[in-house]
Amino acid sequence: MNNSKHHIYLDYSATTPLDDEVSEVIRMHLRDTFGNASSIHSFGRTAKALLEENREIIARSIGAETSEVFFTSGGTESDNHALIGRALAQRRTSGKDHIIVSAIEHHAVLDCAEYLRTLGFRISTIPVDQNGYVHPDEIEKLITDSTCLISVMHANNETGAIQPVKEISAVTKKYGIPFHSDTVQTIGKIPVDVNDLGVDLLAVSAHKVYGPKGIGAIYIRKGTDLDPILHGGAQERNTRPGTENVPLIAGFAKAVERAEQNRDTLFTSALQFRTELLGIITSSCKGVINNSSGTQSLPHILSISLDPSFYEIESETLLFNMDLRGVAVSSGSACTSGSVQPSHVLMAMGRDIKTTQTTVRFSFGKFTTIEEVKSAGNTYCSIVQSFLKPSIV
Ligand SMILES: Cc1ncc(COP(=O)(O)O)c(C=O)c1O
């Protein structure tokens, strides 16, 4: 995708442009369906009907019942609700206070776990192997009588590694422990079905599938005990207060529907893009480390690090130079005041800090073209080569 400055956008895992049809739906409902879905009059009832229609679409897309889907402000809030809501409910009702999370979770999960630690909960972290995969037997080793939640994401946002969620849910079921999975990166890209995956809680977000920012949902399997984390209203069946943003919810449902329709086509083209890009990079650059080399991975993401003994460069400089040359990519990990933090995901995979700090994440989407991929690959290689250490050249 080119924007007005002729930039090539390869950062679809950070966010996606708004789909035109989605944009139309939102615009129409912002204008026409302004009623408060909790109001008794006809304006309210119209908004409520639209709300429920779209809840049904989201529920159907993940194989859930309509009553199990609750709208939130996005992936971060859904993850917070799953962890904090579950932890507080369980400590109150059963005294259980132990939570298990994988080492490669998004900060929306990891920072919640750290917060819960400050409230006296015990947190255990599941390690990953060098390709970034959780092994279900590692989870079994951490389970205690006090474990009240296990959280492992569906696919990682930095590397694309798809976790063995079905095998993990077989373990969590064996012990009767609720299982949360963050599917923010997988919805609309690979099948996400709550019963097939065996999850009890799940987080989704609209803006990764060409929908608007600030809207998402949490799936809560019937019977899973969760406290609300926000207080102040009876909306979303006393689970998530706040006036529902019906136009954005309609846009979210439209985005998910369209992403599902395009899913297989996008998967095939992403595979071609990743193969092409990796081919260009490995044939032209020395010391390339592919962080997305696992057999089960989203083809929409390619994370590349460089051997620091070959290069005098960090991701920040790479990203800056790529941007100057018209290619928007990311390091994949959090950026704090302009400097790239070492990635906890790559560190958990056993990479050293210096290597993690050379990382660039390319991510593809429905507007990506093969020409853009080739151009981005050549741009990356020419920048990287200019930072080769003199002893290597
Ligand atoms: C895996 C994952 N979880 C959660 C989030 C947060 O979602 P949101 O931006 O909708 O709050 C993101 C966004 O980058 C993500 O990639």
Side-chain angles (χ1 to χ4, degrees), residues 118-379:
T118 68
L119 300 184
F121 288 90
R122 288 171 308 118
I123 309 296
S124 297
T125 307
I126 315 158
V128 293
D129 67 18
Q130 58 178 9
N131 289 318
Y133 293 109
V134 165
H135 291 265
D137 50 333
E138 295 287 345
I139 301 180
E140 224 160 342
K141 289 185 205 160
L142 298 171
I143 292 174
T144 72
D145 288 345
S146 294
T147 308
C148 59
L149 182 68
I150 294 170
S151 181
V152 179
M153 69 201 318
H154 195 189
N156 182 263
N157 48 299
E158 294 188 31
T159 64
I162 301 171
Q163 301 303 322
V165 169
K166 276 196 213 184
E167 287 79 3
I168 294 169
S169 70
V171 173
T172 64
K173 278 200 182 83
K174 182 167 135 193
Y175 291 89
I177 302 166
F179 176 29
H180 169 58
S181 193
D182 174 334
T183 60
V184 169
Q185 290 291 341
T186 50
I187 192 102
K189 298 199 186 99
I190 55 173
V192 174
D193 181 289
V194 292
N195 294 316
D196 185 44
L197 294 176
V199 298
D200 303 293
L201 299 162
L202 171 152
V204 289
S205 180
H207 75 99
K208 309 286 184 182
V209 287
Y210 313 91
K213 291 161 187 61
I215 192 79
I218 180 171
Y219 158 77
I220 306 176
R221 187 180 287 279
K222 206 175 284 165
T224 310
D225 190 17
L226 221 65
D227 277 0
I229 56 166
L230 299 175
H231 302 272
Q235 291 93 344
E236 297 295 282
R237 284 155 283 130
N238 290 311
T239 299
R240 200 279 189 178
T243 306
E244 291 94 345
N245 193 333
V246 176
L248 285 200
I249 288 168
F252 175 25
K254 173 59 83 182
V256 167
E257 251 180 353
R258 286 183 51 78
E260 296 288 331
Q261 285 158 4
N262 295 331
R263 192 179 69 202
D264 296 343
T265 315
L266 177 57
F267 190 94
T268 309
S269 51
L271 208 52
Q272 185 201 359
F273 298 151
R274 187 174 67 173
T275 307
E276 179 72 29
L277 184 58
L278 187 61
I280 293 174
I281 293 175
T282 48
S283 62
S284 312
C285 307
K286 295 187 172 113
V288 171
I289 300 160
N290 178 3
N291 301 312
S292 306
S293 63
T295 48
Q296 294 298 316
S297 66
L298 288 179
H300 317 72
I301 295 178
L302 178 65
S303 167
I304 297 289
S305 298
L306 297 166
D307 181 339
S309 61
F310 284 61
Y311 298 95
E312 210 81 69
I313 192 164
E314 289 194 352
S315 323
E316 203 188 344
T317 316
L318 263 171
L319 300 186
F320 183 69
N321 277 280
M322 295 278 286
D323 191 46
L324 276 181
R325 308 236 327 234
V327 185
V329 286
S330 122
S331 71
S333 62
C335 232
T336 311
S337 48
S339 77
V340 176
Q341 300 297 300
S343 151
H344 65 281
V345 175
L346 299 178
M347 298 285 284
M349 289 162 62
R351 311 274 191 264
D352 61 85
I353 291 194
K354 270 193 157 317
T355 302
T356 71
Q357 286 174 329
T358 63
T359 308
V360 169
R361 177 190 69 183
F362 300 86
S363 49
F364 319 109
K366 70 172 176 179
F367 300 113
T368 307
T369 64
I370 193 76
E371 290 72 31
E372 288 182 333
V373 170
K374 287 181 184 165
S375 167
N378 291 330
T379 303

